[in-house]
Amino acid sequence: MEKFEHGGNIYTAPPVGGRWLDFSANINPLGLAPEVRQAIAQNIDGIVHYPDPAARKLKAALASHYGLPQEQLLLGNGAAELFYLLLHMIRPKRVGLPVPSFSDYQRAAEAVGAEIVFAQLRATEDFQVDIDRLQQELGQVDCIFLGNPNNPTGKLLTRKQLAAYLSFSEERGIWTVVDESFLDFLPEQEQYTVRDLVGEYRHLLVVRSLTKFYAMPGIRIGFASGHEALVKRLEQGRDVWNVNSLAQAAGVAALGLKEYHRESRRFVQQEKDWLYARLGEIRGICPLQPSVNFIMAGVADTGLTSDELTARMRRQGVLVRNCANYAGLEGQQYIRLAVRTREENEQMLKSLEAVV
C-alpha cells in the first residue's frame, strides 16, 4: 500500500459486470443536490472566461452562512491545498502530528522539509486526544495539525478543550491548524468549532471542506478562516485562480440549501448509529463510536489483517479504507467505513459477514 494512498479510488477496473460500492471515501450519502447540479449547468458557458480571482459571491455566501467577516476568509482548491499553502508560507522547522490523523498533514510537512514529531494516540483510550499530554509531547514544535473530528478515528475535541490548547499554543507562537472538514455533519457543531476565534488567536487557521458535506469532491472547494493578517499573508502565496468558476457557482448554491443541510445531518446521525450497532454484531469487528459520516473499526479479532480483509472486500466489489498506511496505526489492524444509504450499508454488511 502506498504511503499516502487515499480512499475513493474508483478508477481501477471493478469486478466483471459490476461497479464499485465505495465505502472508502467519506462523502454525504444523500449525494449531489439537484440545485447544485443545476447551478453548474447554468454556469457552464462561463468557463470561456477566467474565474473571479476574489470569488466575491462565494466569499459573501460563506461569510453569511458561517457568520465570519470576509476579511478572515481564504479559499482553496479543496481543503488540502490550504495545508500546503500555509506550510509553504510559514516554513516551519518542526511539525507536530497526533496520530493517526489525515495523511496529507504529514505530506504537506514533508513537502517543505519539516521534521515530523508524532504524538501517538492510544488505542486503550479510543484514540482520543489528551490536551495535557499533547502540550507535553508537542510543546516544542512550530506548527501542529488537529483534526476535529479526527480522520480516521472520528474523535472530537470540544470548543472548551481547543480554547485551552489555543491559549497554550498562542503564548508559544505555535501555528495551529484545526481541520473542521467533517464538522458540518454535526447538528451541534457550535459546541466544537473554533472558526470564530481566529480574531483572538493570530496563529490559528481553521480549515473547512465543502466537498464532503455537499458530495462534490470532484470539483475541489474548501476554505479557511484566519486572522486578517494571516489571510493577507497567505493570499500572497496562492494561485490567483485557484477556485474555478464552476466550483464558485456550486459553492454559492450549496450554502443556500437549508433543508439539504438539515436532512443531511438528520440522516447521517441516524444511519451512523444504526451502522455502528450492526458492525458490532459481526464476529471480530470492533467499531469505534462514530461522530460523523465514517466509522473506524478494528479487525484483528477476525484473524485477518486489514490488508487481507480489504482485498477480500474488493473481490466482493466493495471498497473500504485500509488504515494500514496511517502513521500511528502501523501493525494495528483497522479499516474505515463511510456511512452510506441504508440499502448500500446493508449490502456492505452482507459482504463483510461473508468475508470474515
Side-chain angles (χ1 to χ4, degrees):
M1 192 177 185
E2 295 292 331
K3 180 178 180 181
F4 295 118
E5 185 176 334
H6 291 286
N9 186 0
I10 62 170
Y11 302 102
T12 54
V16 177
R19 64 177 183 86
W20 291 120
L21 184 59
D22 187 12
F23 277 77
S24 67
N26 308 320
I27 307 304
N28 190 331
L30 297 189
L32 187 67
E35 295 87 347
V36 176
R37 187 186 303 274
Q38 183 180 17
I40 294 170
Q42 288 176 342
N43 285 272
I44 195 71
D45 290 338
I47 65 172
V48 300
H49 305 292
Y50 284 102
D52 176 6
R56 280 163 280 210
K57 291 181 179 179
L58 179 55
K59 273 194 175 181
L62 286 166
S64 175
H65 183 73
Y66 288 102
L68 295 167
Q70 292 190 40
E71 295 75 21
Q72 292 181 354
L73 295 176
L74 177 72
L75 299 182
N77 190 277
E81 182 195 26
L82 299 170
F83 307 146
Y84 290 86
L85 174 60
L86 174 71
L87 296 192
H88 173 74
M89 295 301 290
I90 67 171
R91 294 286 169 168
K93 290 183 172 61
R94 306 179 82 219
V95 173
L97 301 178
V99 291
S101 59
F102 183 50
S103 61
D104 268 39
Y105 306 155
Q106 180 181 349
R107 190 175 186 181
E110 289 183 1
V112 296
E115 175 190 352
I116 314 295
V117 183
F118 294 117
Q120 179 66 54
L121 303 177
R122 301 176 182 180
T124 55
E125 299 172 356
D126 282 347
F127 300 100
Q128 182 64 52
V129 172
D130 182 298
I131 293 296
D132 292 335
R133 193 183 306 141
L134 195 70
Q135 292 174 355
Q136 294 171 9
E137 296 181 6
L138 299 179
Q140 302 301 315
V141 299
D142 304 306
C143 178
I144 187 172
F145 284 81
L146 296 171
N148 199 39
N150 190 32
N151 175 13
T153 65
K155 297 305 170 183
L156 285 158
L157 288 166
T158 66
R159 178 183 174 91
K160 183 177 180 180
Q161 288 174 310
L162 283 167
Y165 176 77
L166 289 170
S167 296
F168 168 87
S169 61
E170 188 70 20
E171 183 179 312
R172 288 157 179 78
I174 299 173
W175 295 98
T176 302
V177 181
V178 179
D179 181 2
E180 298 184 351
S181 288
F182 293 96
L183 210 52
D184 276 316
F185 286 99
L186 272 181
E188 68 280 13
Q189 62 175 287
E190 298 307 318
Q191 299 175 25
Y192 301 96
T193 184
V194 290
R195 67 176 185 268
D196 59 317
L197 298 183
V198 295
E200 181 178 349
Y201 298 104
R202 299 176 69 92
H203 290 80
L204 170 64
L205 189 72
V206 180
V207 178
R208 289 252 182 163
S209 167
L210 296 185
T211 58
K212 298 170 179 65
F213 186 66
Y214 295 107
M216 48 184 185
I219 210 164
R220 310 307 304 137
I221 182 169
F223 76 97
S225 57
H227 190 279
E228 186 174 345
L230 175 58
V231 169
K232 286 181 178 179
R233 181 178 177 182
L234 297 181
E235 286 281 6
Q236 295 173 355
R238 74 168 178 89
D239 172 19
V240 176
W241 298 292
N242 65 329
V243 180
N244 69 70
S245 55
L246 296 182
Q248 292 184 33
V252 171
L255 289 164
L257 301 177
K258 306 305 182 188
E259 183 54 36
Y260 179 90
H261 303 163
R262 286 190 290 268
E263 178 59 17
S264 295
R265 293 179 185 121
R266 184 203 65 78
F267 184 90
V268 166
Q269 291 301 304
Q270 176 179 297
E271 199 63 20
K272 74 172 176 59
D273 291 341
W274 179 87
L275 183 57
Y276 170 72
R278 287 294 311 277
L279 285 168
E281 296 170 358
I282 299 177
R283 181 189 68 83
I285 303 296
C286 302
L288 274 69
Q289 181 75 49
S291 60
V292 286
N293 64 324
F294 58 87
I295 302 174
M296 190 169 91
V299 301
D301 290 347
T302 65
L304 300 171
T305 65
S306 59
D307 289 339
E308 292 168 336
L309 189 144
T310 52
R312 290 188 181 189
M313 291 293 279
R314 283 181 68 89
R315 290 193 286 272
Q316 296 276 327
V318 182
L319 298 178
V320 303
R321 178 64 161 92
N322 183 358
C323 294
N325 69 339
Y326 275 95
L329 290 181
E330 302 91 341
Q332 303 182 57
Q333 309 306 324
Y334 288 92
I335 61 172
R336 192 196 65 205
L337 299 158
V339 175
R340 297 188 60 87
T341 65
R342 179 61 60 88
E343 180 181 359
E344 291 169 324
N345 291 336
E346 288 177 338
Q347 187 176 343
M348 181 276 293
L349 290 167
K350 183 178 180 181
S351 295
L352 188 57
E353 288 173 332
V355 303
V356 299

